[in-house]
């Protein structure tokens, strides 16, 4: 048989990073003669579609020279500015026309200098401005609407009167409709997302073993996804302890009334879980700060300060 060996990858594997950088510089240098321009950008990414992933894993120092080679700057200055071309096609889509994973690989590399490179900023802004922000905003608006419905069903509609006798059947129907929407429109949606993410991580082997024995899907180590899973658990518990359902089976004078003997013992636990779910709804909305750099920076500072305060309180409790 035959085997195709890449001199570029062979140089990286053998530790000859200077040679690998020389190859990058040679391929990404624009040359021209009387007939054509010559630029190895397409050839590099067609031959090595996973070059970003490979460099992130084995030769992170070569990422900057590679990204520099994807920029062309004109020598002509007009009104204090000059034209700049960014060659980011292969960073945005692969050879099959699907979305490239370059941004995911660079994010996992966790190098702030690389993320601030003009090429990365350019193609990430294109992704965000022309594609991602619309779907993200629609998803967050739906989540915000779900939060408002949850707030009405748990904290507003059932506290309109100081006495239970003053509550009307119409109010009970409104509460029931809101809770049905939360269970069907929010809980099932979040549960489906969690199942898909868990199955995907398990199939790809992307799991982390806690204590060296317990395998946990890696997606759960992100705040948003872990919070979503916790919220799903709270909503499932709320559905299992729903006072309206218990009272419907027992029979009440008013339709969908949550007040009966069968539901009396579980109301306290239901209220606690409801409060936790409401808190999680608000916390999961914090990713809306992505639309404002100031709010994002403020949230980051709050997170750092909160961790330090937690350490201080822990040390204080230990001393006491």
């Amino acid at each position: 048989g035959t085997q195709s060996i890449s001199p570029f990858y062979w140089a990286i594997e053998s530790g000859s990073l200077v040679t690998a950088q020389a190859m990058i510089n040679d391929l990404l240098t624009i040359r021209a003669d009387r007939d054509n321009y010559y630029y190895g950008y397409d050839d590099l990414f067609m031959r090595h579609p996973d070059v970003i992933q490979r460099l992130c894993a084995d030769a992170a120092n070569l990422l900057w020279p590679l990204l520099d080679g994807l920029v062309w700057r004109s020598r002509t200055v007009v009104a204090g500015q000059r034209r700049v071309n960014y060659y980011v096609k292969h960073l945005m889509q692969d050879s099959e026309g699907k979305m490239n994973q370059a941004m995911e690989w660079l994010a996992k590399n966790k190098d702030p200098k690389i993320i601030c490179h003009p090429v990365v900023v350019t193609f990430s802004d294109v992704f965000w401005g022309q594609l991602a922000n619309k779907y993200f905003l629609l998803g967050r608006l739906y989540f915000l609407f779900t939060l408002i419905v949850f707030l009405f069903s748990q904290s507003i509609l059932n506290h309109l009167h100081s006495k239970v006798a003053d509550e009307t059947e119409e109010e009970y129907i409104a509460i029931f409709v809101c809770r049905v929407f939360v269970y069907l429109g929010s809980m099932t949606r979040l549960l489906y997302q969690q199942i898909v993410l868990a199955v995907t991580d398990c199939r790809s082997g992307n799991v982390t073993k806690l204590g060296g024995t317990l395998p946990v899907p890696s997606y759960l180590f992100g705040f948003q996804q872990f919070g979503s899973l916790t919220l799903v658990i709270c909503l499932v518990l709320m559905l299992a302890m729903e006072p309206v359902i218990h009272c419907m089976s027992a029979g009440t004078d008013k339709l969908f009334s949550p007040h009966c003997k069968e539901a009396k013992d579980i109301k306290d636990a239901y209220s606690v879980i409801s409060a936790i779910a409401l808190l999680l709804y608000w916390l999961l909305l914090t990713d809306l700060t992505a639309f404002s750099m100031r709010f994002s920076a403020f949230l980051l500072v709050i997170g750092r300060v909160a961790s330090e305060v937690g350490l201080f309180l822990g040390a204080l409790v230990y001393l006491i």
Side-chain angles (χ1 to χ4, degrees):
T2 61
Q3 183 178 5
S4 177
I5 300 176
S6 167
F8 177 59
Y9 280 174
W10 181 83
I12 294 176
E13 291 173 359
S14 62
S16 302
L17 299 185
V18 176
T19 303
Q21 182 173 346
M23 293 180 185
I24 291 175
N25 294 336
D26 184 66
L27 284 169
L28 300 181
T29 298
I30 299 178
R31 299 179 176 89
D33 56 22
R34 294 181 179 181
D35 298 323
N36 294 304
Y37 284 93
Y38 301 95
Y39 186 39
Y41 163 68
D42 289 325
D43 296 328
L44 173 63
F45 280 91
M46 292 299 292
R47 179 67 177 82
H48 307 99
D50 60 341
V51 61
I52 299 294
Q53 183 184 27
R54 190 63 177 272
L55 294 183
C56 287
D58 300 327
N61 292 336
L62 298 181
L63 283 171
W64 197 274
L66 173 66
L67 296 175
D68 279 343
L70 305 181
V71 182
W72 174 84
R73 295 179 175 88
S74 173
R75 291 180 295 179
T76 304
V77 179
V78 179
Q81 296 181 335
R82 58 179 178 174
R83 179 179 174 180
V84 179
N85 291 348
Y86 295 98
Y87 297 90
V88 296
K89 171 185 175 182
H90 294 293
L91 297 178
M92 299 179 66
Q93 68 176 26
D94 56 21
S95 58
E96 299 178 355
K98 299 179 180 179
M99 181 176 176
N100 199 306
Q101 294 179 278
M103 178 55 69
E104 179 182 349
W105 296 330
L106 292 171
K108 289 181 178 180
N109 189 46
K110 298 181 179 180
D111 187 343
K113 293 183 178 179
I114 293 298
I115 293 297
C116 293
H117 192 281
V119 170
V120 180
V121 172
T122 298
F123 83 83
S124 62
D125 284 346
V126 171
F127 271 137
W128 175 254
Q130 299 186 14
L131 178 65
N133 65 344
K134 298 177 183 178
Y135 293 99
F136 175 79
L137 182 59
L138 289 175
R140 292 295 89 188
L141 288 178
Y142 178 79
F143 192 83
L144 178 61
F145 176 72
T146 305
L147 168 60
I148 295 173
V149 174
F150 184 86
L151 191 63
F152 269 87
S153 67
Q154 300 294 333
S155 303
I156 297 178
L157 293 178
N158 54 353
H159 290 89
L160 294 177
H161 306 283
S162 58
K163 297 181 180 179
V164 175
D166 297 333
E167 296 177 353
T168 64
E169 186 172 298
E170 289 76 12
E171 293 172 358
Y172 292 152
I173 294 175
I175 293 173
F176 178 76
V177 171
C178 290
R179 292 184 181 181
V180 168
F181 174 81
V182 170
Y183 294 136
L184 295 181
S186 179
M187 183 188 72
T188 55
R189 181 171 177 266
L190 292 173
L191 181 60
Y192 173 76
Q193 292 175 351
Q194 293 297 313
I195 292 174
V196 170
L197 290 171
V199 171
T200 301
D201 274 0
C202 291
R203 284 182 176 178
S204 62
N206 188 21
V207 297
T208 302
K209 291 188 176 181
L210 294 180
T213 56
L214 181 63
V216 177
S218 297
Y219 82 95
L220 288 176
F221 289 91
F223 169 74
Q224 285 290 329
Q225 297 303 332
F226 180 77
S228 296
L229 177 62
T230 308
L231 178 58
V232 169
I233 295 173
C234 289
L235 292 177
V236 170
L237 292 175
M238 288 175 61
L239 177 61
M241 295 186 296
E242 179 59 53
V244 176
I245 297 177
H246 285 77
C247 292
M248 286 175 62
S249 61
T252 55
D253 296 334
K254 295 181 180 179
L255 184 63
F256 301 136
S257 173
H259 306 293
C260 62
K261 295 181 180 179
E262 287 75 7
K264 184 177 180 181
D265 296 334
I266 60 175
K267 275 192 174 182
D268 291 338
Y270 180 85
S271 299
V272 171
I273 297 175
S274 173
I276 295 174
L278 182 60
L279 177 62
L280 289 171
Y281 267 114
W282 285 112
L283 289 177
L284 291 175
L285 272 179
T286 54
D287 59 355
L288 278 174
T289 57
F291 288 98
S292 172
M293 188 63 68
R294 290 186 177 181
F295 283 116
S296 297
F298 177 75
L299 185 64
L300 179 62
V301 171
I302 290 296
R304 296 292 180 87
V305 172
S307 62
E308 295 297 329
V309 171
L311 290 174
F312 171 76
L313 293 177
L316 187 62
V317 171
Y318 176 78
L319 293 175
I320 294 176

